[in-house]
Amino acid sequence: MDLLIAQITTDLRSSDALRQSSALLQALQQCAAGRDVSALARTAATEILSAPSSAVCKRLALDLLRALPLPPDLLDPLLLSSLRSDLSFPDPDVAASSIASFPSLPSHLLPSLLSSAHADISAALSSPAESLRLAAVTSLSSLLPRDDLALMCSTNPSLMAHATTWWGRLAKLALDSADAVAASAFEALARLFQELDARRMSRLAGDKLVDGEGALAVRAQWAADAIDFIWSRRNMLIARSMVMPVESFRVTVYPLVHAAKMVASGALNTLWRIAKPGDTTIADNVESSAEKLVGVSDIVSHLLPFLSSLDPPLVFEVGINMLSLADVPGGKPEWASAAIIAILTLWDRQEFSSMRETIVRAVVTNLHLLDLGMQVSLFKRLLQMVRNLRAESDRMHALACICRTALCVDLFAKESVRRGQKPAPGTDVISLFEDVRVKEDLNSITSKSLFREELVASLVESCFQLSLPLPELKNSRTESRVIGALAYGTGYGALNWTEPALDVVEVCRPCVLWDCDGRSYAIDCYLKLLVRLCHIYDTRGGVKTIKAGASQDQILNETRLKNLQLQLIRGLREVHTPRILARMIWAISEHFDLEGLDPLLADDPEDPLNIIISNMHKILFNTDASATTSNRIQDVQAVLMCAQRLGARNARAGQLLTKELEEYRASSSADSVTKHQSRYVLQIIKYVTNHPDNRWVGVGDATGDYPFSHHKLTVQFSEASAAQDRKLEGLVHKAIRELWRPNPSQLTLLQTKGIGALHKELPKAFTLTGSSDPCYIEAYHLADPTDGRITLHLKILNLTELELNRVDILVGLSGALYYMDGFSRTVRHLRNLVSQDPVQSSVTVGVSHFEKCSLWVQVLYYPFYGSGGSADYEGDYVEEDSQMMRQKRSLRPELGEPVVLRCQPYKIPLTELLLPYECSPVEYFRLWPSLPAMVECTGTYTYEGSGFKATAAQQYDSSPFLSGLKSISSKPFQLVCSHFIRTVAGFQLCYAAKTWFGGFVGMMIFGASEVSRNVDLGDETTTMICKFVVRASDELITKEIESDLQGWLDDITDGAVEYMPEDEVKSAAAERLKISMERIALLKAAKPKVPPVKTEQEEEEERKQNEELDGFGNPKGPSTLSKLTAEEAEHRALQAAVLQEWHQLCKEKAMKAQ
């Protein structure tokens, strides 16, 4: 290795550029292999960077120095001096190499470099050399839009002025005579526009996370200036792009289209208001709508010929941007149809086969921009295209878009007919899904395709979204047209959504016959929608008449539902899966019109009631079904509940079901639980039969509930197919939620709610120094779970009266933290700290795994920096450790002796490394026993009030005895379920979370309160004893929590709960038991003495006297008192207290509702 380094050193000292470049490449290769070549640093710096050399060698030397583990104290001045000197080098290639290195520099070096080199940068942008202009444009376009630069500009007015000048020059370079420079300038503008909303480049830069709104305001001003320039020079830019090479033309499309869209939609004024919040002179309309429309039409006419290009990426780019222009005010459907047709021609192109998901997503997302006929004609082809998509998320998103479009088309066409327009053919939901392959798939019983389940689930969930209030949108964005069409179709009526929902129910009717290997999610969705519609139209009361006030549409819909119920009842015999059969019986029996049956057909096997009861018999006596087709305990429970409701509603049904249940009770198929439940159902049916005029309405009243989909039945077991069902449910719900209720983008929030919508509460800052320290330091952190990064922001304040020429900030790491560049870049050099003037600094680190982490900050003052030595200062460092002594001896003599200030460690709480995880209670309790790692602890806190004040809390309000746990709601935990026993102030809370790295964490909190013995005057204080049980998928998670239980409780409750060791818990329980035993002993000792034994004759006489007289010595009459034991009396008193509390809560809720 020494020979190799000597050879490389010799080559570097030669004046041959070829030998120098090959030597630098060899050094980089050794460095990449993990070998230490730090000995080459000084030679590379002196022979390459500080001496005249070629651009290639200087760039390679810079890469080598940045790859070596050099201390920043040596590296940073070397980088700055070499880059600064190379900028003014006569060779434009060397200057281009220097300016191209700017984006790779650390953020803390950029302000001083850009401020000192602003004249050279401006000269490079105006240089006659094309290579230098290109390098300057490329470098600044990668650097200026980033968060860190924008934040620096917001706090540095001079840097802001320079950056604004550079952006103006970059926009003008889009008209440069060199094609490469013009294309790079167009790309720079595109990056600025994209970074304003997506911030992708800031994330890729990975330097640090920022929290201020200043970066947004700065970028908004730059973007608004660029849009003004593009819009005012659009004709020149269009002409310039026409003479560019075809491969460069693609980068010119987005800036032109984005500027036109921002101007036409009015978003440009929003950007100006963000950039200048206090400026009231910003006009709402810069130009008239006619001028905007002409400008947009000019750009569309410019782009339209390129839709027939032979270059697929160009066709796709032009098509996507034309679709966005079709959505602005004044946009035409013809623009969208031309773009979509051009994009669809790429489907069969071999070179675009890997982009099929992108093609379909682009088409279905913008399908609403087409006219009605075009949407109908494309519908069947899109269904086949979506079927062939491989990625599940893309397929679900496309299905959600298609289903929403189908409902939108149906509603829009029907409302147009109501308003007197000519009906359009094929616009109803049934016709849209008339495709032969779709019908075959839906009608096949044993098909293994998952697509049909996804289609049915997406259709039904879209209907449920349509039943909810439509979101209000104040701005013109992509979703506004869809919401407008749906609002037009429903007329904001309460039941207009049920008409397309009825079509969906008819289209998806064959799904109840499917054999899906135990999967039932799609069928559950279908039956849930059927039950909802039957409950809305009250089908159990029969078809209403006009005399009863029903409209023609209502009579038609109720007739359709009745016929559909009859078809489903006749199809019960074809259902061979007991699990589905039980769910169909539940969905039909509760809402079927039993009173409308013909009594003359009571003995007919085809009578609907006879068919239902015969299928109930099949489920009750079925013992041969496999576990994948039947969950027998749940099925029998559902059928017995259906029998109770059917028998309570109809006399003939009661007679038939009494016979069936008696036979079932006597058979060997019933276990003890179902026998008891059958006896209970028989008693209810008997009571209703014997008292037809005194029915309890609660027995047979329709609830409109379908308990199978949201796990309300008590019997639940895990099964293999349930995992697939939950996966499909999660995918469908995510796609539907993102489409119907999307999270608004940053720009959308600004347009609708103003600048105040982005105001976020800053994280809490912690002080790291003491009260008597010469420096005040406070810190807070920001976390990014996506990339696993944490940024520590420091504010340093010089409390001395002196100006400190140099201060170094050192940050050490412990735990799972690491520096993202592979080696320590911990030192931050601060210059010229003025007294009482705060200075900001930050450091970004990565997190490798779930573990307690801390950042250790040290501040090094150099009081004699720049004075030539430390002769005037002699310090006694006897108490310092040996490592610090070695560090001080190794410092350069001109720095002088430093003063070291050690700060308190900044601890990252474990909860910061968690994310909330949404899951259903059933899934949570299925997962809980399988989690291998567990840790338990006990904590206590006190709350004010007891008795009625604690127990009479509203059902959905925060109870006073949860005051110590209220901060958990702000932590990254998802509350899965909760159970309160208000009469004794007890509770159980279940939380779920996941770590940044995928591990599952479940936490249960059990609580019970006790009245404190030391009670002051006023309200009582009560102690709540909580048991915290944490289970995790990995033992490393519980080990970290168990290592500091008080720290964990402080993290999740903000210090409100105090940890109690197990020995204290046991001693407290023993003390309570001892007190209880003493009280019992006192009660026993207070019993009266046993009287002397009487003879049998005396006892007989006394008994007769007591029977004849009451307690006052009077003859007593008939008695209604019952003899209760003490336990029975106490139990009844507790029941009475619970019922009384329940009635009190109901009264208070009723008063609130009024």
Side-chain angles (χ1 to χ4, degrees):
M1 192 66 187
D2 293 338
L3 292 176
L4 180 61
I5 292 179
Q7 180 63 39
I8 294 176
T9 304
T10 303
D11 291 341
L12 290 178
R13 287 174 177 168
S14 69
S15 300
D16 188 356
L18 185 58
R19 288 179 62 188
Q20 288 177 340
S21 60
S22 61
L24 289 170
L25 287 172
Q26 195 172 10
L28 284 170
Q29 183 180 5
Q30 297 297 323
C31 189
R35 299 183 179 91
D36 186 13
V37 291
S38 302
L40 298 173
R42 183 179 297 276
T43 307
T46 56
E47 300 295 335
I48 306 296
L49 294 180
S50 301
S53 183
S54 65
V56 175
C57 292
K58 285 185 176 291
R59 186 63 184 269
L60 291 175
L62 282 174
D63 292 339
L64 177 61
L65 288 181
R66 286 190 289 112
L68 294 176
L70 299 177
D73 194 18
L74 298 175
L75 180 62
D76 292 350
L78 191 59
L79 289 177
L80 290 176
S81 61
S82 62
L83 292 176
R84 184 70 186 84
S85 61
D86 289 345
L87 273 176
S88 56
F89 200 77
D91 186 358
D93 292 336
V94 174
S97 173
S98 173
I99 201 171
S101 302
F102 283 11
S104 59
L105 292 177
S107 293
H108 63 276
L109 298 179
L110 291 174
S112 58
L113 178 62
L114 294 178
S115 298
S116 61
H118 68 91
D120 294 323
I121 295 174
S122 301
L125 290 172
S126 306
S127 172
E130 178 184 342
S131 60
L132 184 53
R133 293 201 311 275
L134 179 61
V137 171
T138 305
S139 177
L140 291 179
S141 66
S142 301
L143 185 64
L144 291 180
R146 282 178 7 196
D147 273 343
D148 49 355
L149 257 295
L151 190 65
M152 291 174 192
C153 291
S154 66
T155 57
N156 190 336
S158 63
L159 185 59
M160 176 65 184
H162 298 324
T164 305
T165 305
W166 294 335
W167 273 117
R169 184 62 189 149
L170 286 175
K172 293 178 181 177
L173 284 175
L175 299 170
D176 195 86
S177 57
D179 292 334
V181 176
S184 184
F186 272 109
E187 196 171 357
L189 297 174
R191 286 181 182 178
L192 173 62
F193 298 151
Q194 291 165 353
E195 197 70 10
L196 184 64
D197 198 13
R199 299 174 65 183
R200 178 173 177 269
M201 196 159 32
S202 298
R203 298 177 64 87
L204 291 177
D207 184 70
K208 63 179 178 179
L209 309 172
V210 297
D211 58 333
E213 297 172 5
L216 177 65
V218 167
R219 266 200 298 261
Q221 179 177 344
W222 293 341
D225 288 335
I227 290 170
D228 279 339
F229 176 82
I230 294 174
W231 184 251
S232 61
R233 308 280 184 92
R234 59 182 180 274
N235 293 326
M236 297 176 63
L237 292 171
I238 288 173
R240 179 66 185 90
S241 65
M242 291 293 289
V243 297
M244 294 180 70
V246 176
E247 59 271 11
S248 301
F249 177 81
R250 190 156 53 97
V251 300
T252 68
V253 177
Y254 179 74
L256 286 169
V257 170
H258 183 80
K261 185 174 181 178
M262 296 293 280
V263 172
S265 62
L268 178 60
N269 296 325
T270 304
L271 291 181
W272 279 120
R273 292 189 182 97
I274 298 169
K276 302 175 181 178
D279 191 355
T280 58
T281 61
I282 301 173
D284 287 336
N285 291 315
V286 180
E287 299 183 48
S288 66
S289 57
E291 292 174 343
K292 295 178 182 178
L293 184 57
V294 169
V296 173
S297 300
D298 290 342
I299 295 177
V300 171
S301 302
H302 160 62
L303 297 177
L304 199 56
F306 293 94
L307 289 176
S308 55
S309 171
L310 297 178
D311 184 23
L314 178 59
V315 173
F316 186 78
E317 183 75 19
V318 172
I320 288 293
N321 283 280
M322 280 190 61
L323 286 173
S324 65
L325 280 182
D327 192 36
V328 302
K332 299 179 181 179
E334 293 82 6
W335 302 347
S337 60
I340 286 180
I341 290 172
I343 292 174
L344 288 177
T345 58
L346 303 175
W347 178 265
D348 297 322
R349 300 284 288 267
Q350 184 66 31
E351 63 270 26
F352 236 78
S353 60
S354 60
M355 295 289 290
R356 288 187 169 182
E357 286 83 2
T358 310
I359 293 173
V360 172
R361 181 177 283 263
V363 173
V364 297
T365 305
N366 297 281
L367 201 57
H368 59 278
L369 299 176
L370 303 174
D371 56 10
L372 213 58
M374 187 75 173
Q375 292 185 39
V376 173
S377 62
L378 276 179
F379 202 81
K380 295 178 181 179
R381 183 182 177 187
L382 280 177
L383 273 176
Q384 298 306 321
M385 294 170 69
V386 172
R387 178 194 293 272
N388 296 325
L389 293 182
R390 296 160 296 178
E392 290 178 336
S393 58
D394 290 315
R395 191 166 66 242
M396 293 301 171
H397 177 268
L399 271 177
C401 290
I402 286 177
C403 294
R404 186 180 69 171
T405 301
L407 299 178
C408 189
V409 167
D410 181 89
L411 285 168
F412 192 87
K414 287 178 179 175
E415 184 63 23
S416 299
V417 171
R418 289 193 194 102
R419 300 192 182 192
Q421 298 183 18
K422 182 179 178 181
T427 54
D428 57 306
V429 173
I430 298 177
S431 301
L432 290 173
F433 290 94
E434 276 290 330
D435 184 68
V436 177
R437 287 193 61 185
V438 173
K439 290 189 68 175
E440 289 178 356
D441 212 359
L442 290 176
N443 286 285
S444 174
I445 295 177
T446 59
S447 173
K448 301 301 180 183
S449 171
L450 283 175
F451 177 75
R452 60 179 188 171
E453 297 178 43
E454 297 166 355
L455 176 62
V456 169
S458 299
L459 263 174
V460 173
E461 294 291 352
S462 299
C463 290
F464 283 126
Q465 288 293 326
L466 190 60
S467 68
L468 300 174
L470 297 174
E472 296 182 3
L473 296 173
K474 300 178 182 178
N475 63 312
S476 175
R477 58 190 291 262
T478 304
E479 297 298 317
S480 59
R481 293 190 178 220
V482 182
I483 302 303
L486 292 174
Y488 173 80
T490 57
Y492 289 102
L495 295 180
N496 286 2
W497 70 273
T498 59
E499 296 185 8
L502 278 170
D503 290 343
V504 168
V505 168
E506 292 189 8
V507 167
C508 302
R509 184 175 58 84
C511 74
V512 296
L513 306 178
W514 292 348
D515 181 11
C516 301
D517 298 328
R519 297 187 302 274
S520 60
Y521 171 64
I523 304 173
D524 283 336
C525 288
Y526 173 80
L527 293 176
K528 183 167 62 173
L529 179 60
L530 176 66
V531 168
R532 176 79 65 88
L533 292 174
C534 292
H535 186 64
I536 288 175
Y537 283 103
D538 190 22
T539 54
R540 69 188 307 178
V543 179
K544 314 301 183 298
T545 60
I546 296 180
K547 292 183 179 179
S551 63
Q552 291 289 348
D553 290 339
Q554 182 180 350
I555 295 173
L556 177 62
N557 294 336
E558 291 183 358
T559 306
R560 289 176 65 185
L561 269 177
K562 181 179 179 180
N563 294 334
L564 183 65
Q565 285 180 328
L566 291 173
Q567 291 176 7
L568 290 173
I569 290 174
R570 296 189 188 102
L572 285 174
R573 297 169 180 171
E574 302 176 25
V575 180
H576 301 290
T577 308
R579 179 181 302 181
I580 304 303
L581 187 60
R583 300 178 184 204
M584 285 186 63
I585 291 174
W586 178 286
I588 295 172
S589 61
E590 188 174 0
H591 298 278
F592 188 67
D593 181 18
L594 294 175
E595 305 299 332
L597 296 177
D598 191 349
L600 299 177
L601 299 178
D603 297 330
D604 188 358
E606 298 298 321
D607 181 69
L609 181 59
N610 292 335
I611 295 175
I612 291 174
I613 294 179
S614 64
N615 283 277
M616 294 172 70
H617 175 89
K618 186 191 302 184
I619 294 174
L620 290 175
F621 291 92
N622 174 41
T623 57
D624 300 330
S626 63
T628 59
T629 60
S630 171
N631 188 345
R632 174 167 169 71
I633 301 178
Q634 180 176 284
D635 297 342
V636 170
Q637 184 187 11
V639 167
L640 290 177
M641 294 174 73
C642 290
Q644 173 187 331
R645 290 170 176 172
L646 275 177
R649 284 174 52 202
N650 184 269
R652 182 162 72 91
Q655 295 173 0
L656 296 174
L657 287 171
T658 301
K659 179 181 176 182
E660 288 289 339
L661 292 178
E662 290 288 359
E663 182 182 353
Y664 175 67
R665 283 184 64 201
S667 69
S668 60
S669 302
D671 55 20
S672 59
V673 175
T674 51
K675 284 182 180 179
H676 178 76
Q677 192 171 0
S678 302
R679 183 174 64 85
Y680 173 72
V681 173
L682 285 170
Q683 288 177 347
I684 291 178
I685 294 176
K686 181 180 178 181
Y687 175 84
V688 173
T689 304
N690 295 336
H691 304 81
D693 298 329
N694 192 20
R695 294 184 179 182
W696 180 29
V697 181
V699 173
D701 194 16
T703 61
D705 194 16
Y706 182 77
F708 300 93
S709 60
H710 39 83
H711 313 295
K712 282 191 176 179
L713 289 180
T714 58
V715 182
Q716 291 287 338
F717 292 99
S718 58
E719 53 223 20
S721 57
Q724 293 178 319
D725 270 341
R726 289 198 296 272
K727 179 182 178 182
L728 178 60
E729 181 179 8
L731 289 170
V732 171
H733 282 185
K734 181 181 179 182
I736 293 290
R737 185 172 59 249
E738 288 179 353
L739 185 66
W740 286 82
R741 302 290 190 271
N743 293 325
S745 64
Q746 194 178 62
L747 193 57
T748 304
L749 278 174
L750 292 170
Q751 287 182 263
T752 54
K753 299 182 180 180
I755 190 67
L758 295 182
H759 178 69
K760 297 179 181 179
E761 186 177 353
L762 289 177
K764 183 181 178 181
F766 296 92
T767 303
L768 303 183
T769 53
S771 57
S772 60
D773 289 332
C775 176
Y776 172 79
I777 297 180
E778 68 176 17
Y780 66 92
H781 75 277
L782 299 172
D784 182 9
T786 306
D787 296 334
R789 294 185 295 158
I790 290 178
T791 296
L792 181 70
H793 291 270
L794 299 168
K795 184 170 78 171
I796 301 101
L797 187 63
N798 177 17
L799 298 181
T800 65
E801 298 179 357
L802 305 175
E803 178 180 351
L804 298 174
N805 296 327
R806 172 168 172 166
V807 175
D808 290 350
I809 307 295
L810 281 76
V811 182
L813 307 181
S814 64
L817 302 179
Y818 65 94
Y819 283 100
M820 305 182 72
D821 54 7
F823 53 90
S824 176
R825 293 268 183 178
T826 59
V827 181
R828 293 289 183 266
H829 302 294
L830 306 179
R831 298 287 192 273
N832 303 324
L833 261 68
V834 183
S835 177
Q836 306 296 328
D837 186 15
V839 177
Q840 306 288 337
S841 183
S842 64
V843 61
T844 299
V845 295
V847 187
S848 60
H849 57 275
F850 186 84
E851 186 182 352
K852 291 191 294 293
C853 310
S854 298
L855 294 101
W856 303 75
V857 180
Q858 284 188 1
V859 182
L860 272 68
Y861 294 90
Y862 293 91
F864 309 106
Y865 176 72
S867 61
S870 56
D872 299 334
Y873 179 74
E874 292 293 336
D876 185 11
Y877 297 110
V878 177
E879 72 280 3
E880 299 288 350
D881 55 8
S882 58
Q883 181 181 359
M884 187 56 64
M885 292 294 293
R886 287 195 302 270
Q887 179 184 1
K888 289 176 179 177
R889 291 194 191 102
S890 63
L891 294 173
R892 289 182 294 175
E894 62 269 18
L895 297 179
E897 289 289 347
V899 178
V900 180
L901 172 63
R902 291 191 181 93
C903 301
Q904 296 178 3
Y906 186 90
K907 297 180 179 180
I908 305 296
L910 280 175
T911 52
E912 195 67 61
L913 307 181
L914 295 175
L915 295 172
Y917 177 71
E918 294 185 10
C919 63
S920 65
V922 171
E923 183 181 1
Y924 182 82
F925 287 112
R926 284 174 177 171
L927 189 59
W928 179 263
S930 64
L931 297 172
M934 184 174 70
V935 60
E936 299 180 5
C937 65
T938 304
T940 62
Y941 62 89
T942 59
Y943 64 94
E944 294 185 357
S946 61
F948 181 78
K949 182 177 180 181
T951 58
Q954 295 297 324
Q955 184 176 4
Y956 297 107
D957 292 345
S958 60
S959 302
F961 51 76
L962 289 179
S963 60
L965 304 176
K966 60 184 179 181
S967 61
I968 301 184
S969 60
S970 62
K971 306 298 179 183
F973 284 100
Q974 179 70 30
L975 179 60
V976 179
C977 56
S978 59
H979 179 65
F980 294 91
I981 310 172
R982 291 184 299 274
T983 52
V984 293
F987 59 86
Q988 175 188 357
L989 305 175
C990 300
Y991 294 94
K994 276 200 170 184
T995 67
W996 287 9
F997 316 98
F1000 182 83
V1001 180
M1003 182 171 65
M1004 287 191 188
I1005 306 176
F1006 305 90
S1009 65
E1010 295 182 357
V1011 178
S1012 303
R1013 280 179 284 173
N1014 299 324
V1015 182
D1016 299 330
L1017 296 176
D1019 290 340
E1020 293 182 352
T1021 59
T1022 311
T1023 301
M1024 179 66 70
I1025 300 179
C1026 300
K1027 186 76 171 179
F1028 294 83
V1029 183
V1030 179
R1031 300 192 76 154
S1033 58
D1034 190 356
E1035 289 186 359
L1036 295 176
I1037 299 174
T1038 54
K1039 282 183 180 179
E1040 287 298 319
I1041 296 174
E1042 193 173 12
S1043 63
D1044 185 11
L1045 292 173
Q1046 183 62 61
W1048 170 255
L1049 295 179
D1050 290 342
D1051 288 347
I1052 62 177
T1053 63
D1054 290 340
V1057 175
E1058 181 181 357
Y1059 168 66
M1060 282 185 64
E1062 288 301 318
D1063 52 352
E1064 292 185 15
V1065 175
K1066 292 178 182 178
S1067 62
E1071 182 69 20
R1072 289 195 300 270
L1073 180 61
K1074 181 181 178 181
I1075 293 173
S1076 300
M1077 296 296 292
E1078 290 175 355
R1079 289 177 179 173
I1080 292 173
L1082 289 174
L1083 290 174
K1084 286 182 178 180
K1087 285 185 178 180
K1089 295 182 179 180
V1090 180
V1093 180
K1094 297 181 179 181
T1095 62
E1096 294 183 1
Q1097 186 176 0
E1098 291 175 348
E1099 289 180 357
E1100 183 70 21
E1101 292 177 358
E1102 187 175 350
R1103 184 175 58 80
K1104 288 182 180 179
Q1105 290 177 2
N1106 291 336
E1107 288 178 355
E1108 293 173 357
L1109 301 177
D1110 58 11
F1112 299 98
N1114 301 321
K1116 65 178 180 180
S1119 175
T1120 58
L1121 296 176
S1122 62
K1123 296 180 180 180
L1124 298 175
T1125 64
E1127 289 79 4
E1128 291 175 343
E1130 183 181 0
H1131 184 63
R1132 290 196 178 186
L1134 180 60
Q1135 285 184 334
V1138 173
L1139 290 175
Q1140 182 179 4
E1141 179 194 350
W1142 174 253
H1143 289 307
Q1144 183 70 19
L1145 292 175
C1146 292
K1147 288 180 182 177
E1148 291 179 3
K1149 283 199 291 186
M1151 291 174 65
K1152 276 189 178 182
Q1154 291 176 359

